[in-house]
């Protein structure tokens, strides 16, 4: 069977195309169409086999820490610790349930792609035009395209009458593409194949006839769908780190706890007592709240991000965004307004700048930096009137939002005239249109004829060289004068300068007609040249500041677009993206080997005229270099790269369903600047998870060391045989009191003031950096020393085992409360960041202190928790000993800061 999709259809003459497809101009017969439908299959996008929701849910339990916690639930329940078992099980369900919801939503990307396919198509079958479901189209079908139609399949145009298509969803092209039925060179890129209409795009002007060359997955649209299916999503750094951490803690804690329990049995303790004790210590050592705290940290961060216009679809992406080193951004609609705007006019020998962006008719006209009175400038008025009347696009407003209906280029002319008070609706009511010569790719111009009080007048706009060649006079100083050779040179020179500034340039002219002149009698000859209009899809103002903040945060901003290189470079320079780097086109990338491309990748700041495959290649090369890559975009063409990138960021307003479903984060205001807010939140969330882990693991280390030293080396340090500093219920209380509210409060700690002046973490760098491990170790060791000391002192002072355990229990809880404040930063002094800046931590500690006082002082709890009422001296002594952790950790942080300042860093 012939694979029609592999042929260079754009490089073949129409008869050759029809012959290769075994088709003819009046279409296929119903019988032949059915035969081909059986052979090629329906014209729709194929899907991978769907993953069952149950499979997605069960996948959540593959995490080693979750498995350990399930075992802990079973053991706790068997040992009678039902309340603790229930708490742990609820935490497990919360973490796995949220993970399931996020991943289930991610599987819907292909459904969004299918919805973009055209539902119906006009086709010639058996010489008659008929409308059929687009899924029944086959290669060789002859289809009819009209304004407003969604292109149902890839097809070669065999007739194009003023046809323009919107290819932004596929190629990123910001303005409608003029189509032709002429043969094109073999080497032209996909975005330059103007004799091909692509599935998923739309006809916005004119009409055409085409022969279908590819259907379903063989189309360019289908190739994107295939890439979207093939892209495998890798784990984010946080997922990798926490998975390793869970395994390490789980195995280590279980082994150590039951070893200690076994030694306790050998030293005379009851087997059941030590089994319960071992389970309790294991539950305390394993950070069962870790999945919940991470989830809660991410979820609360997500809520803050929504308020800052970033909607997160996949929670772990928040952390990965915080360590992003490259943001690869599409241009149209992401860095720019996606609204053509006239920036500059050349009229009456003057260059006039125009302020304002987008379709809102607000702005000023400036000449040499000063505001210009447009009403007194007859040449400018004439230019604007021509632009507004030689036009088939209208400007509308609804709920304060201005939109155009029609072509963006024409819309820019209508808006500019409105800025000067020339409203199209009023002009058209005063001057009725009596004739028009529509734009065509051959003539490159459009002309309309209006009846005015001064008689019939023809208004024309088009390519500067075309308009100029049809003019014999020029409007200057309020009069029509002969158009001299020098005038022509000057006009073309100005047009060239505008083009070099990435402006799309149009020439405008008029001609007074006699009442007896026919509709087309010399209308486009001997015209009067009025001026030039230069327009661009302008960059968003807020993006400039966002790019600066990215630079400050150590993040490289890169533009990837399907637009022309000249336009891309101009916009990138204006935004500050292109500084000293390189700009490449897709064709230039194709000429580079993988080794050459990877060697150059970190220097490239602009990619122009690229295809979806190029975007994937860029991301893969950056990832290979060790970068964490965020890709922003809004079109169908961005979807595979959005899914492949560490973080895919889609546009919420202009973005297609496909890009949104493939993305990790959606910007609800389409504002590149919101990415910076997301980065800040991502860094803050990771920082808070690090604070929580420092606090939790340092506390757990202190508990384990306390119990291990007492059991293994008790007699060597003077403890009586069988002395255990804490009983099982005290261990569980310490676990619930210190690992609960204070830990959660650290997960919402305010971000450090300089968080956006810090460089991104390298890919693979985990939470446990040298300062973090040092602080955790010092905190855990000092905690063990202090608690062993108070336990031994109490026993040596003649206190009972119960009283010694009570004092040790109290000191252990208090020392961990002090740690919570210390661990609000792994480097900065608590006095620098503000001791009590975290109100939730203050409330959590206050609440836990009240509960602790009740447990110690209320007689009802004495038997349960092995406590007794303390004297004032005992309270003060324990508080002072516990508080000793505070200066110890502050001194440790000061030494770390000094070492980093003097040495090469961590």
């Amino acid at each position: 069977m012939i694979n029609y999709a592999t042929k260079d259809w754009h490089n073949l003459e129409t008869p050759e195309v029809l012959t290769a497809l075994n088709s003819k101009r009046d279409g296929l017969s119903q019988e032949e169409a059915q035969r081909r439908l059986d052979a090629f299959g329906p014209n729709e996008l194929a899907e991978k086999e769907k993953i069952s929701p149950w499979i997605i849910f069960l996948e959540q339990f593959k995490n080693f820490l979750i498995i350990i916690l399930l075992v802990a639930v079973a053991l706790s329940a068997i040992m009678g610790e039902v309340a603790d078992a229930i708490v742990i099980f609820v935490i497990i369900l919360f973490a796995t349930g949220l993970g399931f919801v996020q991943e289930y939503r991610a599987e819907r990307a292909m459904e969004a792609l299918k919805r973009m396919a055209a539902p119906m198509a006009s086709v010639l079958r058996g010489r008659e035009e008929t409308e059929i479901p687009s899924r029944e189209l086959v290669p060789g079908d002859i289809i009819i395209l009209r304004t407003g139609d969604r292109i149902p399949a890839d097809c070669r145009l065999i007739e194009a009458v003023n046809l323009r298509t919107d290819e932004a969803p596929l190629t990123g092209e910001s303005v409608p593409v003029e189509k032709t039925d002429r043969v094109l060179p073999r080497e032209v890129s996909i975005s330059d194949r103007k004799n091909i209409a692509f599935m998923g795009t739309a006809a916005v002007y004119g009409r055409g006839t085409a022969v279908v060359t590819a259907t379903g997955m063989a189309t360019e649209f289908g190739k994107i769908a295939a890439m979207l299916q093939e892209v495998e999503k890798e784990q984010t750094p946080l997922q990798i780190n926490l998975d390793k951490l869970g395994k390490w803690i789980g195995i280590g804690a279980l082994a150590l706890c039951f070893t200690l329990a076994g030694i306790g049995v050998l030293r005379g303790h009851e087997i059941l007592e030590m089994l319960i004790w071992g389970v309790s210590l294991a539950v305390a050592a394993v950070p069962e709240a870790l999945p919940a705290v991470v989830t809660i940290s991410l979820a609360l961060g997500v809520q803050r991000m929504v308020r800052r216009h970033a909607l997160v679809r996949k929670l772990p992406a928040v952390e990965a965004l915080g360590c992003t080193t490259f943001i690869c951004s599409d241009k149209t609609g992401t860095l720019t307004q996606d609204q053509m705007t006239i920036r500059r006019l050349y009229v009456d020998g003057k260059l006039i700048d125009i302020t304002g962006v987008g379709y809102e008719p607000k702005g000023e006209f400036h000449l040499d930096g000063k505001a210009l009175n447009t009403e007194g400038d007859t040449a400018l008025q004439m230019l604007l009137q021509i632009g507004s009347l030689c036009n088939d696009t209208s400007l509308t407003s609804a709920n304060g939002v201005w939109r155009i209906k029609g072509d963006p280029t024409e819309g820019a002319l209508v808006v500019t005239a409105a800025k000067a008070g020339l409203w199209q609706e009023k002009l058209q009511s005063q001057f009725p249109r009596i004739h028009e010569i529509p734009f065509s790719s051959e003539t490159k111009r459009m002309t309309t004829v209006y009846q005015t009080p001064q008689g019939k007048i023809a208004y024309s706009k088009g390519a500067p060289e075309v308009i100029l060649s049809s003019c014999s006079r020029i409007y200057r100083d309020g009069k029509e004068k002969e158009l001299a050779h020098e005038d022509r040179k000057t006009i073309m020179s100005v047009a060239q300068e505008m083009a070099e500034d990435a402006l799309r340039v149009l020439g405008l002219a008029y001609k007074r007609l006699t009442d007896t002149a026919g509709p087309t009698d010399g209308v486009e000859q001997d015209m009067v040249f009025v001026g030039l209009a230069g327009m661009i899809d302008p960059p968003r103002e807020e993006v400039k500041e966002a790019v600066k903040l990215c630079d400050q945060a150590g993040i490289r901003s890169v533009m990837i677009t399907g637009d022309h290189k000249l336009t891309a470079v101009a916009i990138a320079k204006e935004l500050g993206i292109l500084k000293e780097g390189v700009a490449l086109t897709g064709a230039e990338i194709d000429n580079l080997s993988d080794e050459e491309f990877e060697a150059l990748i970190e220097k490239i700041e602009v990619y122009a005229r690229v295809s979806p495959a190029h975007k994937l290649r860029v991301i893969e090369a950056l990832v290979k270099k060790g970068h964490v890559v965020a890709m922003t975009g809004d079109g169908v063409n961005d979807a595979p790269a959005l899914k492949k990138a560490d973080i895919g960021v889609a546009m919420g307003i202009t973005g297609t369903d496909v890009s949104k479903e493939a993305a990790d984060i959606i910007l609800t205001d389409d504002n590149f600047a919101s990415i910076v807010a997301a980065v800040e939140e991502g860094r803050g969330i990771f920082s808070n998870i690090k604070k929580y882990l420092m606090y939790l693991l340092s506390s757990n280390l202190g508990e384990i060391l306390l119990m291990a030293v007492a059991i293994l080396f008790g007699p060597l340090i003077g403890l009586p045989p069988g002395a255990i500093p804490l009983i099982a219920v005290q261990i569980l209380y310490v676990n619930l009191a210190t690992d609960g509210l204070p830990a959660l409060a650290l997960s919402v700690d305010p971000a450090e003031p300089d968080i956006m002046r810090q460089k991104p973490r390298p890919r693979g760098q985990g939470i446990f950096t040298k300062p973090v491990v040092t602080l955790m170790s010092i905190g855990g060791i000092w905690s063990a020393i202090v608690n062993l000391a108070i336990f031994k002192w109490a026993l040596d002072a003649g206190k009972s085992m119960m009283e010694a355990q009570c004092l040790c229990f109290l000191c252990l809880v208090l020392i961990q409360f002090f740690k919570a404040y210390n661990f609000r930063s792994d480097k900065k002094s608590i006095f620098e960041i503000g001791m009590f800046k975290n109100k939730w931590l203050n409330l959590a500690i206050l609440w836990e202190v009240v509960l602790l006082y009740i447990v110690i002082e209320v007689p009802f709890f004495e038997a349960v928790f092995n406590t007794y009422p303390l004297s004032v001296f005992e309270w003060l002594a324990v508080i002072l000993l516990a508080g000793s952790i505070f200066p110890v950790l502050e001194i440790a942080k000061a030494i770390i800061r000094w070492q980093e300042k003097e040495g090469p860093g961590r």
Side-chain angles (χ1 to χ4, degrees), residues 605-728:
E605 293 174 335
V606 174
Y607 299 86
R609 307 303 282 172
V610 295
S611 68
H614 291 131
K615 294 186 178 187
L616 279 175
R617 190 179 176 193
V618 168
I619 289 172
E620 287 167 354
L622 286 171
V623 170
K624 197 171 181 180
K625 283 279 189 176
H627 291 287
V628 176
V629 183
M631 165 74 186
T632 73
D634 58 0
V636 175
N637 60 323
D638 296 320
L642 287 173
K643 195 171 182 183
K644 179 63 178 176
D646 295 282
I647 304 297
V649 185
M651 302 298 110
I653 299 173
T654 59
T656 60
D657 285 347
V658 180
S659 64
K660 292 175 189 175
E661 292 291 342
D664 301 285
I665 294 174
I666 299 171
L667 302 183
T668 57
D669 61 350
D670 284 15
N671 193 336
F672 183 88
S674 297
I675 299 172
V676 180
V679 168
E680 184 177 352
E681 290 294 345
R683 290 184 175 191
I685 289 167
F686 187 84
S687 175
N688 287 347
I689 291 171
K690 180 171 67 175
K691 294 171 189 177
Y692 161 77
L693 284 172
M694 283 194 299
Y695 167 67
L696 177 75
L697 298 181
S698 179
S699 299
N700 288 4
L701 178 63
E703 294 169 29
I704 292 288
L705 286 176
L706 169 64
M707 306 306 291
V709 171
I711 290 177
L712 296 175
F713 308 107
L716 296 178
I717 60 174
L719 294 179
I724 298 178
L726 299 173
I727 63 171

Side-chain angles (χ1 to χ4, degrees), residues 199 201 265 276 280 327 348 395 423 476 575 600 617 634 689 714 720 723 754 805 862 906:
M199 180 187 197
T201 63
V265 171
I276 295 173
S280 301
I327 297 178
D348 206 5
L395 178 65
W423 294 92
R476 183 170 292 167
L575 290 173
L600 192 61
R617 190 179 176 193
D634 58 0
I689 291 171
D754 67 342
Q805 288 172 335
E862 289 179 13
R906 53 176 93 178

Side-chain angles (χ1 to χ4, degrees), residues 301-302 304-312 318 321-322 327 329 334-335 540-547 549-550 555 630 632 647 649-653 665-682 756:
V302 164
R304 292 193 298 271
M305 289 172 72
V306 167
R307 290 193 291 270
R308 301 177 76 174
H309 308 293
L311 176 64
V312 178
V318 181
L321 187 60
I327 297 178
S329 175
T334 307
L335 298 172
R540 295 174 177 268
E541 286 300 316
E542 62 272 17
V543 170
K544 296 178 184 178
E545 187 61 31
V547 170
L549 287 174
C550 286
I555 301 168
T632 73
I647 304 297
V649 185
M651 302 298 110
I653 299 173
I665 294 174
I666 299 171
L667 302 183
T668 57
D669 61 350
D670 284 15
N671 193 336
F672 183 88
S674 297
I675 299 172
V676 180
V679 168
E680 184 177 352
E681 290 294 345
M756 286 303 287

